Amino acid sequence: MKINQIIRKKRKELSLTQEQLAEFLGVSAPAVNKWEKGSTYPDVTLLPALARLLKTDLNTLMSFNDDLTDIEIESFVKEVDKTVQEQNYEAAFQKAMDKIHEYPTCDKLIHSVILYLEGALFLYNVSEPGHYREIFETYYKRLSASEVSEIRESAVNMLISYARNREEFSKAEELIKALPSSSIDKEGQLAVLYQQQKKYKDAENIWEHRVHKAVTDIQTALLNMIEIALLENCSDNAEFFADKYETITREFCFPEWMGYNAHLLLAIEKKNKDESISILKKMLPAMKKKWNPQDCRLYHNAKNSGSAFFSSKLADTLCDELAAKEEYAFVRDCAEFRELMAQITG
């Protein structure tokens, strides 16, 4: 945030009006209004008093500690991930918190780091994640008031997920109904505009992103439809949806291992030992393979996302769960399963 945004944010947090702020500082209300619009700036002699009045420090007020670039933020998230791999999750968490405390008003940093840590809880199979999630939720609440719409909406989505998981359905519904709606497809409009301007690369990037997102949305919908079918004891429907999930995953060139997801879910639900092991024998080795989205014409503008490491780590997490969780106990007494685990983890 810039100084004008910080003044407005801090003033509102203290429930002060522009008139009250102006009176305390001995300036006019229109002057404060101009500060907050960014058209003028406070006189340098007013800054110490303004910082004290807004209960902040000069570094924060002057944005000295919040101007991290996107590249710096991306680089730091990679550092946090490296810390998880080389040390442990707690060390990475503390490293992230120290950085956030250093740049407390940098919404992009907070958003990127907290989302990474959230995902890493599952990816690295962190025990007792509740303490961390309490802290994450505090940050999501802060980010839900961000002036950056993408960050604000992402934070609200996470708060909805938290409320659902706690079965606070009224709270989740309240958050959902408060989400802004728009009939304007900004992204699509931009893509068409770029095409007309012959900025084909920019347009293609948008359409590629739309294809990827659409497929991901369909996968999510099908997995939920499978779950509903299972709850309603409609096994034929569940199999049909699982077939569709596999087809769309393969047709749209997603990683090979993803295509097995839905049928593995069904096999485990049915406690079908032979089918579960048969799928795992194909799925786990596939998770160790490198996947480059650029190899498919649909995504040839995509950046290398590190998916090979992600899927390999996900395979390790799945193996840990197969070896420990009660729901997978039915496959563990099989020699074929033990051989597979030794092959994958050895």
Side-chain angles (χ1 to χ4, degrees):
M1 288 189 291
K2 302 303 180 185
I3 185 171
N4 63 306
Q5 298 171 318
I6 293 169
I7 293 172
R8 181 169 62 250
K9 180 175 182 291
K10 296 292 184 181
R11 175 180 63 78
K12 289 185 175 181
E13 286 176 355
L14 295 168
S15 300
L16 292 172
T17 64
Q18 290 183 343
E19 289 76 12
Q20 288 172 321
L21 192 66
E23 184 179 349
F24 288 140
L25 293 171
V27 299
S28 67
V32 174
N33 182 264
K34 289 180 179 179
W35 295 348
E36 293 190 0
K37 286 182 177 178
S39 53
T40 63
Y41 296 96
D43 187 274
V44 67
T45 59
L46 290 174
L47 292 177
L50 179 59
R52 287 193 296 272
L53 183 58
L54 295 177
K55 299 188 185 306
T56 188
D57 57 84
L58 281 173
N59 280 343
T60 300
L61 181 63
M62 297 299 293
S63 308
F64 290 145
N65 285 341
D66 76 336
D67 287 331
L68 286 176
T69 65
D70 290 347
I71 293 174
E72 288 174 318
I73 292 170
E74 183 180 350
S75 176
F76 178 70
V77 172
K78 289 179 180 177
E79 286 181 33
V80 174
D81 182 59
K82 186 177 180 181
T83 303
V84 179
Q85 296 176 52
E86 296 181 352
Q87 298 181 43
N88 53 54
Y89 185 88
E90 175 61 22
F93 173 80
Q94 290 301 329
K95 184 184 187 76
M97 291 301 104
D98 289 345
K99 195 74 166 180
I100 288 175
H101 294 153
E102 186 180 353
Y103 297 90
T105 59
C106 186
D107 285 359
K108 282 189 176 181
L109 170 70
I110 297 171
H111 179 251
S112 298
V113 167
I114 297 301
L115 276 187
Y116 166 78
L117 290 171
E118 180 86 54
L121 278 176
F122 169 75
L123 187 60
Y124 292 93
N125 202 19
V126 177
S127 60
E128 300 183 6
H131 162 69
Y132 298 110
R133 289 204 168 105
E134 286 179 11
I135 295 170
F136 298 161
E137 187 168 12
T138 300
Y139 282 109
Y140 290 137
K141 287 176 180 176
R142 276 181 52 185
L143 293 174
S144 68
S146 174
E147 295 192 1
V148 181
S149 60
E150 293 85 356
I151 292 176
R152 183 174 63 248
E153 290 171 10
S154 172
V156 172
N157 280 332
M158 291 305 300
L159 290 173
I160 291 168
S161 176
Y162 273 43
R164 278 203 319 261
N165 290 338
R166 288 196 296 261
E167 298 190 359
E168 295 175 357
F169 300 128
S170 296
K171 178 63 176 177
E173 185 174 355
E174 178 187 333
L175 288 166
I176 291 168
K177 288 183 176 178
L179 288 171
S181 58
S182 173
S183 59
I184 299 174
D185 178 4
K186 183 170 70 174
E187 192 179 51
Q189 291 284 358
L190 274 174
V192 172
L193 177 63
Y194 291 150
Q195 285 175 228
Q196 291 177 330
Q197 294 174 301
K198 298 185 179 179
K199 297 180 179 179
Y200 300 128
K201 186 84 168 179
D202 292 332
E204 194 173 35
N205 281 335
I206 291 176
W207 294 128
E208 282 188 12
H209 175 261
R210 289 289 283 268
V211 170
H212 188 277
K213 184 179 183 303
V215 177
T216 302
D217 287 345
I218 292 172
Q219 288 175 316
T220 301
L222 287 168
L223 287 174
N224 279 284
M225 291 166 76
I226 290 169
E227 185 175 347
I228 292 169
L230 290 172
L231 290 169
E232 293 181 333
N233 295 317
C234 298
S235 57
D236 288 347
N237 284 351
E239 289 286 352
F240 175 80
F241 299 144
D243 288 342
K244 292 300 179 186
Y245 181 97
E246 182 174 357
T247 298
I248 193 170
T249 300
R250 304 212 186 288
E251 286 296 319
F252 283 88
C253 309
F254 273 48
E256 178 190 343
W257 65 268
M258 283 189 182
Y260 302 114
N261 264 345
H263 283 295
L264 178 63
L265 175 71
L266 292 184
I268 290 171
E269 181 66 24
K270 292 185 294 185
K271 297 288 190 289
N272 187 319
K273 183 188 301 183
D274 292 339
E275 188 175 352
S276 296
I277 292 174
S278 174
I279 294 171
L280 287 168
K281 286 174 72 175
K282 293 178 285 187
M283 182 175 178
L284 288 172
M287 294 175 87
K288 300 288 186 177
K289 294 179 182 177
K290 187 174 182 179
W291 175 68
N292 291 315
Q294 306 94 327
D295 293 341
C296 176
R297 293 181 185 179
L298 284 169
Y299 318 113
H300 71 268
N301 289 307
K303 295 180 181 178
N304 195 326
S305 61
S307 60
F309 169 77
F310 174 81
S311 62
S312 180
K313 186 62 189 174
L314 199 57
D316 294 340
T317 301
L318 178 56
C319 287
D320 290 343
E321 292 183 351
L322 287 166
K325 287 196 172 182
E326 182 60 30
E327 63 191 285
Y328 305 122
F330 71 97
V331 297
R332 289 201 286 268
D333 63 350
C334 175
E336 192 175 9
F337 171 77
R338 291 193 293 272
E339 289 173 8
L340 175 62
M341 290 299 99
Q343 175 187 341
I344 295 297
T345 60

